[in-house]
Amino acid sequence: AAAAAAAPRPASWVAPTVAVPGAASAWPALSRSNAMSHSQPAGSAAPSAPMSMAPAPPEAAILQSVAAEADEPVIPHELQCPITYELMSDPVFTSDGHSYERTAIEQWLQQHDTSPITNKPLRDKTLIPNHALRKAIDSWHEEQK
């Protein structure tokens, strides 16, 4: 079967965007279908075989690339709060064993009875300071000086 030609986009076409928490602007969202046509000049034929695309990077990776472009230190993933994607300053454990920035998880737990990571119910809402993670954050701060 002959490959179908890519349909030209109308002049008013705008790439869909994805809001990234903490990022200054929205990023274009690339699905497999528009990524294939996005790199093709208008009116050119699409490749005969589907293009192999890696999955889009998680938000944390996008934020790290934004930080790198802005000459800011790249915060290691394990030191970032999974809710805010920011460096934790007061890390705490929840009953499911995950660590979060205290203020972020307190706000979450005011409205939810589930883990923000797994969405499974939490046994209780007790927050326990994560001293080992706090020491790792302090060490990372010292390395940045």
Side-chain angles (χ1 to χ4, degrees), residues 3-7 36-37 40 43-49:
M36 287 175 55
S37 63
Q40 299 292 326
S44 69
S48 57

Side-chain angles (χ1 to χ4, degrees), residues 16-94:
T17 58
V18 174
V20 177
S25 65
W27 290 72
L30 293 178
S31 68
R32 182 180 173 95
S33 60
N34 83 0
M36 287 175 55
S37 63
H38 188 65
S39 62
Q40 299 292 326
S44 69
S48 57
M51 214 160 108
S52 175
M53 296 275 308
E59 290 176 343
I62 294 171
L63 293 175
Q64 286 182 351
S65 36
V66 169
E69 290 173 10
D71 278 339
E72 296 176 13
V74 175
I75 301 168
H77 177 72
E78 59 274 6
L79 305 182
Q80 294 176 357
C81 173
I83 297 173
T84 65
Y85 297 104
E86 295 178 1
L87 180 67
M88 290 185 265
S89 60
D90 187 9
V92 293
F93 284 113
T94 57

